[in-house]
Amino acid sequence: MNLSKESVWNELRKVIHPSSGKPVTDAGIVQNVTVGDNSVHVILSFPRSTDPLAGPVKKAIVQVIQSAFGTGTQVTFENVTKKEVTEESNQPEALAQVKNIVAVASGKGGVGKSTVAANLAVATALQGYRVGLVDADVYGPSVPKMFGAEELRPVLKTENGKELIVPIEKFGIKVLSIGFFVNASDALIWRGPMATSALRQLLTQGEWGELDYLYIDLPPGTGDVHLTIVQEVPVTGAVIVSTPQHVALAAVIKGISMFENAAIKVPVLGLIENMSYFTPPELPDRKYYIFGKHGCRNLAEKLKLPLLGEIPIDENICQDSDTGRPSVLEQNTPVAKAFMDLALHVMEQVDIRNKTMEPTKRVIIKH
Ligand code: ADP
């Protein structure tokens, strides 16, 4: 059997937690799993830090993994205490009715992260979900422009003595961006604490209400803003956007290790390849791999992560960004279809994380 996060998760379902009688995956004992070439790292959380069942459960986990993937498979464990877990799920009040928070990240700038975040958010709303988008790209907020909302300003109101920021509503989604509060040209001077505290306000004072998905468009790379967000907001998972170019892919690996770092522990839901190929309109069956062929696909395979989408290069994407209308709104174009498929795959991975869907039922883009 192929060693992957999902196949390991499936095996772990066979281990029953003796006191609850439930699989350890459902009893909240297994918090996360990361898979290497020939190794499995399991993060566990027991109700008590000195749980007498910890030993037998770990033994059973090693047994099922080694019998499924070979006795040479190395299994390591990490314990997080219940306290840490509770703190993690300590959601700010403004986000209390937000079911899922998905961070959209990229290793480096210019790969189309904001374009993907905007279209992914609109695509999710087009499938009937309640969606919000936070533009946390404090150093280059582009969401106001992409939504044709540069002139709009969110309303501030006070409710029960609390100040609230009412998001802009456009194309069926709620949007907040630092760009609504500063001139784009001033954004660059927003450094460190100022940027992070402004962002914190958008997240914790935004009047988000009930949402199925809140997408966060992160700044490129790794840094303070990422840390602030993951520490203060219960992020369900991160998706990482890249082009197929080698230099972009190298930065992806850095991004993944940041999210999987023990201090951050945000699961990476998968990779998104943007600017995958170019299809001339007059040759709809041809694909030209301008930035290299299947770079993200191959990397995703190597890292045992799902490839969530492949978005073609299309001049309309550029124009649509400039005219303030996300491309996914043009129904039935190849680009719109690519974004709709992407949204389905992202939601599917979120369902798997939430354990509302069997990992085996997922549909990953065929390689
Ligand atoms: P990032 O957020 O990673 O810095 P942006 O989303 O701002 O990148 O995109 C950078 C530029 O590339 C923008 O001009 C955008 O319109 C363009 N772009 C993004 N994706 C595509 C694509 N698939 N095809 C054509 N142009 C794209």
Side-chain angles (χ1 to χ4, degrees):
M1 201 188 308
N2 235 348
L3 186 59
S4 70
K5 199 164 182 159
E6 285 69 35
S7 57
V8 168
W9 200 266
N10 263 344
E11 290 306 310
L12 293 180
R13 294 175 68 83
K14 296 178 186 163
V15 179
I16 305 297
H17 184 242
S19 69
S20 68
K22 288 189 199 164
V24 285
T25 46
D26 299 346
I29 305 291
V30 176
Q31 294 289 320
N32 199 4
V33 167
T34 44
V35 171
D37 271 349
N38 198 21
S39 63
V40 176
H41 184 67
V42 187
I43 297 175
L44 298 170
S45 165
F46 289 96
R48 279 177 289 161
S49 55
T50 51
D51 197 300
L53 297 173
V57 165
K58 284 182 187 171
K59 213 166 149 191
I61 287 177
V62 174
Q63 255 171 16
V64 293
I65 289 177
Q66 292 190 337
S67 76
F69 307 105
T71 46
T73 315
Q74 203 196 350
V75 185
T76 49
F77 294 102
E78 185 179 328
N79 289 319
V80 289
T81 63
K82 267 290 169 208
K83 188 167 171 288
E84 283 172 300
V85 175
T86 332
E87 271 170 11
E88 264 175 28
S89 58
N90 203 357
Q91 190 142 331
E93 211 180 311
L95 299 170
Q97 291 163 288
V98 176
K99 288 192 191 145
N100 300 294
I101 301 179
V102 176
V104 182
S106 69
K108 65 190 278 296
V111 297
K113 171 187 51 59
S114 296
T115 307
V116 168
N119 281 283
L120 173 59
V122 175
T124 309
L126 287 173
Q127 323 231 15
Y129 294 93
R130 295 162 300 179
V131 178
L133 173 65
V134 177
D135 179 6
D137 195 344
V138 284
Y139 306 123
S142 47
V143 167
K145 187 165 178 52
M146 284 194 288
F147 278 75
E150 281 169 297
E151 306 308 322
L152 301 180
R153 290 288 170 269
V155 175
L156 303 178
K157 68 176 193 186
T158 311
E159 212 173 80
N160 300 331
K162 274 196 187 145
E163 292 227 310
L164 291 174
I165 309 167
V166 185
I168 298 289
E169 291 209 30
K170 196 93 201 256
F171 309 125
I173 68 174
K174 293 185 176 176
V175 184
L176 276 182
S177 166
I178 300 263
F180 289 136
F181 301 95
V182 288
N183 290 329
S185 52
D186 294 341
L188 272 178
I189 59 162
W190 284 57
R191 289 284 171 217
M194 212 160 129
T196 47
S197 80
L199 181 57
R200 183 176 297 132
Q201 269 183 299
L202 297 191
L203 287 164
T204 58
Q205 280 173 244
E207 193 186 45
W208 295 109
E210 281 184 43
L211 290 182
D212 298 302
Y213 291 89
L214 178 65
Y215 290 104
I216 304 180
D217 179 11
L218 290 174
T222 55
D224 286 356
V225 170
H226 302 76
L227 282 174
T228 306
I229 288 184
V230 297
Q231 277 161 6
E232 304 202 4
V233 169
V235 179
T236 316
V239 295
I240 301 186
V241 183
S242 179
T243 65
Q245 251 184 319
H246 282 298
V247 31
L249 294 171
V252 167
I253 298 180
K254 220 172 134 195
I256 293 175
S257 40
M258 174 192 70
F259 285 113
E260 293 192 336
N261 178 296
I264 291 193
K265 280 196 217 124
V266 167
V268 175
L269 302 176
L271 305 187
I272 300 167
E273 186 172 274
N274 187 30
M275 310 195 199
S276 286
Y277 54 86
F278 174 70
T279 296
E282 63 282 9
L283 295 171
D285 297 326
R286 293 295 288 271
K287 285 182 177 175
Y288 295 97
Y289 296 92
I290 312 232
F291 294 122
K293 194 172 177 182
H294 297 163
C296 283
R297 200 184 267 210
N298 294 338
L299 182 66
E301 212 159 79
K302 196 167 144 210
L303 299 173
K304 300 191 167 67
L305 282 171
L307 178 70
L308 302 166
E310 290 172 312
I311 315 296
I313 300 171
D314 191 306
E315 63 177 321
N316 291 322
I317 292 185
C318 253
Q319 282 164 15
D320 294 341
S321 286
D322 291 343
T323 52
R325 198 180 146 78
S327 312
V328 68
L329 290 163
E330 295 318 312
Q331 308 272 318
N332 299 325
T333 62
V335 165
K337 192 176 169 317
F339 282 125
M340 292 300 265
D341 283 352
L342 166 66
L344 285 176
H345 288 119
V346 170
M347 289 190 281
E348 206 160 41
Q349 288 306 311
V350 167
D351 285 346
I352 291 171
R353 292 301 318 170
N354 291 339
K355 307 181 189 87
T356 50
M357 189 185 203
E358 301 273 329
T360 44
K361 283 196 198 146
R362 75 199 175 116
V363 187
I364 294 298
I365 290 176
K366 287 185 187 64
H367 287 199

